[in-house]
Amino acid sequence: MSSVLYDAPGPKSRARSRLISIVGTIILAGGLLALIVVLGLPKTSANGAVQPGLWDISRWDVFNDLLVWRTLGLGALATLRMAAVAAVFALVIGVLFSFGRLSASAWIRVPTTVLLEFFRGMPVLLMMLFILLVFSTGSFWAGVAALSVYNGAIIGEALRAGINALPRGQREAGLAIGLTPVATRFRIEFPQAFRQMLPIIIAQLVVLLKDTSLSFIVGYNELLRSGLNQLANFFGEQYKFSFFFIVLAIYLAMNLSLSWLARRIAKRTGPQAGSVTKDDSAPPIDPVQADPRILGAQSRSQGA
Amino acid sequence: MDAVIDNLPLFLEGFRNTLGLLLIAGVGASTIGLVVAAMRISPISSFRVFATAYTELVRNTPLTLVLFFCAYLLPLLEFSPGYFQLAAIGLTVYTSPFVAEALRSGVNGVHVGQAEAARSVGLTFGQTLTFVVMPQAIRMVVPPLINVLIALTKNTSVAGAFFVFELFGAARKVTNDRGDAVIPILLAVAAFYLVITIPLGLIAGRIEKKVAVLR
């Protein structure tokens, strides 16, 4: 895209761009270095006590304690458990929502739409508090319920968009060979829509994993609470930054690996990979050879 | 119901703070997001690397963690302008990569043929951008940007857990005082949020339809 916008750079402008690039790198690296140095400076509190800088060994020695890691690990497991349970429920709720919204009967369609808009427009945190207080479920199930309803609403909308985007002929073909409308939806439309929308759904599951940290606020003992609240408070103020960085690193590791998975799947089964109609400027001789994606995931798993 | 009416001033104060956070963080995140998006599509590779790293790191950090940093750790660095300001900073930083991604996807969404056509009839780089690419990109960017704003509206509720008295904070306080009327109170607070998010969603939907017809 950007290469279309201007002519190929000549030697002069290439040199200029290289210069800006080097200067930019130096500025950015300098900023980062300054941040590291500032964090590393010893700090004098109001009462005259001197605290060593962040990179001092005394700010990190708690991590020699195995119990600290155990607590962090349990917190991370609690986060993952909530995310996994909520993801399963969110997928189920999403499927139900998408079917409700596409229902032929207005008695189902309209209430589903209203409910969906309500859930989508409300903060997850408020929903957690609501479920916690009204149904007194305990913080784990409050978090799971709020996360699965909210993300289910969003996944449902994605699935509906996927089904709507299918060519009309798919449904007509299903009905023509004698399937009932429900069977057509389940066996013909839904699998295609699901595959097309898989990247969006997984991206939403990353959001869900991130949002489990909200259950910290309603009192669930997950990674953020066990790392930043309990451990940091127990070991004292001087370790707060250390614990923050460790918790941040754990979160980033979990989320980035899930994001990476989402991107890989998006590349394999992108919006065009699952589609039935292709723009065939040159009719392929052997459709499987020309585009192996046309057979979808099954053929790949057989080949592998 | 009387629990809602009695505490209406509290709710309105919370609503004002929510709107304030939305406004400040929205403007701030748009500014930073614009800069990051520009860096991301710029021809200078070090800017591109920086912008990509920033987007990936901030986008994958939970908002709760960002606000925790702002509310508890920034004061330790002798930076404490007040919890409202700290929460606004946190929300700004957290939202900026989402704005940047929306902007970038808009520019990438313009068909290459458009730029090629503009170039082949002899428009310069500046003319191509201002007359051909940008007018289309901006239209396409508006619905995702509004979606980012809707998400931001809902995210301001997290600030309520970090000492900011906005709608969620109001809900917590009032439900503590009036444990007998939890359902009406929470429905009232939800209604306040929906007052912001549903109109925004409707606007986004309308614009999306218009853009779809144009293309």
Side-chain angles (χ1 to χ4, degrees):
Chain A
M1 171 92 209
S2 52
S3 58
V4 178
L5 293 174
Y6 36 80
D7 296 325
K12 225 182 209 171
S13 59
R14 239 177 315 175
R16 194 172 54 221
S17 130
R18 202 176 313 129
L19 185 73
I20 299 175
S21 186
I22 291 169
V23 171
T25 312
I26 290 173
I27 291 174
L28 293 174
L32 208 64
L33 205 70
L35 188 75
I36 291 172
V37 167
V38 166
L39 281 176
L41 285 179
K43 202 178 65 177
T44 315
S45 336
N47 57 9
V50 177
Q51 202 181 49
L54 184 59
W55 313 118
D56 196 88
I57 192 83
S58 70
R59 299 278 295 264
W60 295 86
D61 52 8
V62 276
F63 293 106
N64 287 332
D65 193 342
L66 261 184
L67 267 178
V68 168
W69 286 108
R70 195 169 162 270
T71 313
L72 285 175
L74 287 180
L77 274 184
T79 289
L80 288 176
R81 192 168 65 228
M82 175 178 268
V85 177
V88 171
F89 280 116
L91 285 174
V92 173
I93 291 173
V95 172
L96 291 180
F97 265 135
S98 70
F99 286 165
R101 273 213 69 172
L102 287 166
S103 163
S105 140
W107 287 105
I108 302 175
R109 202 173 55 236
V110 173
T112 317
T113 311
V114 172
L115 208 62
L116 213 119
E117 287 301 324
F118 180 73
F119 286 141
R120 280 206 310 168
M122 216 163 77
V124 188
L125 189 54
L126 195 68
M127 243 187 278
M128 280 188 193
L129 185 73
F130 189 99
I131 294 167
L132 185 73
L133 292 180
V134 174
F135 303 107
S136 31
T137 49
S139 54
F140 177 75
W141 287 107
V144 167
L147 285 172
S148 39
V149 168
Y150 175 78
N151 292 290
I154 289 176
I155 290 174
E157 276 297 279
L159 285 175
R160 183 187 67 96
I163 290 177
N164 275 345
L166 290 176
R168 276 247 306 283
Q170 293 293 314
R171 181 168 182 77
E172 285 163 0
L175 295 175
I177 58 170
L179 294 176
T180 62
V182 174
T184 310
R185 187 140 284 160
F186 256 109
R187 304 184 59 173
I188 296 190
E189 291 181 290
F190 181 69
Q192 299 182 50
F194 192 80
R195 205 166 62 215
Q196 272 198 38
M197 289 295 150
L198 200 55
I200 294 179
I201 290 171
I202 296 185
Q204 194 57 39
L205 293 183
V206 177
V207 173
L208 190 151
L209 178 57
K210 271 196 324 181
D211 279 355
T212 52
S213 66
L214 292 176
S215 63
F216 149 72
I217 293 160
V218 293
Y220 180 55
N221 215 343
E222 41 71 80
L223 180 57
L224 215 164
R225 175 171 285 273
S226 56
L228 287 180
N229 230 15
Q230 296 172 348
L231 286 175
N233 282 345
F234 178 74
F235 285 104
E237 203 166 84
Q238 72 182 98
Y239 294 113
K240 264 198 172 147
F241 273 95
S242 323
F243 277 117
F244 175 80
F245 283 119
I246 295 292
V247 170
L248 177 65
I250 298 175
Y251 266 116
L252 284 179
M254 293 195 301
N255 293 331
L256 284 174
S257 45
L258 196 55
S259 299
W260 172 79
L261 189 74
R263 229 170 330 200
R264 261 194 68 150
I265 291 176
K267 216 174 262 172
R268 282 172 51 160
T269 61
Q272 64 276 52
S275 73
V276 195
T277 50
K278 297 166 42 61
D279 50 335
D280 38 2
S281 42
I285 309 137
D286 178 1
V288 181
Q289 217 163 40
D291 187 1
R293 291 177 304 183
I294 207 166
L295 286 185
Q298 288 165 326
S299 67
R300 249 196 315 279
S301 53
Q302 279 164 11
Chain B
M1 203 58 215
D2 58 319
V4 174
I5 294 163
D6 289 348
N7 291 304
L8 206 57
L10 281 179
F11 287 138
L12 287 178
E13 195 198 329
F15 189 55
R16 219 175 28 244
N17 278 332
T18 292
L19 280 181
L21 280 176
L22 174 62
L23 205 71
I24 296 172
V27 172
S30 307
T31 317
I32 299 179
L34 192 65
V35 174
V36 173
M39 285 170 101
R40 190 115 193 230
I41 55 175
S42 80
I44 297 161
S45 60
S46 66
F47 286 178
R48 268 204 310 270
V49 170
F50 172 79
T52 313
Y54 176 84
T55 309
E56 282 304 307
L57 287 185
V58 179
R59 236 181 8 159
N60 283 295
T61 307
L63 173 63
T64 328
L65 203 59
V66 176
L67 286 181
F68 191 97
F69 182 81
C70 289
Y72 288 100
L73 296 181
L74 280 184
L76 287 183
L77 293 175
E78 273 124 40
F79 178 78
S80 46
Y83 285 119
F84 181 85
Q85 285 82 346
L86 286 170
I89 292 171
L91 285 167
T92 302
V93 170
Y94 179 78
T95 313
S96 58
F98 293 94
V99 174
E101 281 296 275
L103 293 174
R104 190 175 72 102
S105 70
V107 173
N108 281 344
V110 178
H111 200 273
V112 187
Q114 297 286 329
E116 281 170 355
R119 290 284 296 152
S120 64
V121 296
L123 299 187
T124 64
F125 172 71
Q127 287 171 328
T128 309
L129 272 187
T130 45
F131 297 134
V132 179
V133 176
M134 275 307 166
Q136 300 182 55
I138 286 170
R139 271 201 210 111
M140 262 193 269
V141 149
V142 171
L145 267 190
I146 293 181
N147 285 337
V148 171
L149 277 188
I150 292 176
L152 173 62
T153 311
K154 290 181 282 186
N155 283 339
T156 55
S157 67
V158 184
F162 294 98
F163 317 116
V164 180
F165 192 80
E166 45 67 77
L167 273 175
F168 180 75
R172 279 227 288 200
K173 184 179 158 28
V174 178
T175 45
N176 265 342
D177 295 348
R178 293 292 305 267
D180 56 320
V182 170
I183 295 180
I185 291 167
L186 288 175
L187 285 181
V189 174
F192 273 114
Y193 277 111
L194 294 176
V195 162
I196 308 177
T197 55
I198 287 187
L200 280 178
L202 290 179
I203 294 172
R206 280 188 72 135
I207 295 177
E208 207 155 8
K209 247 176 218 156
K210 265 193 182 162
V211 177
V213 171
L214 275 171
R215 262 192 293 161

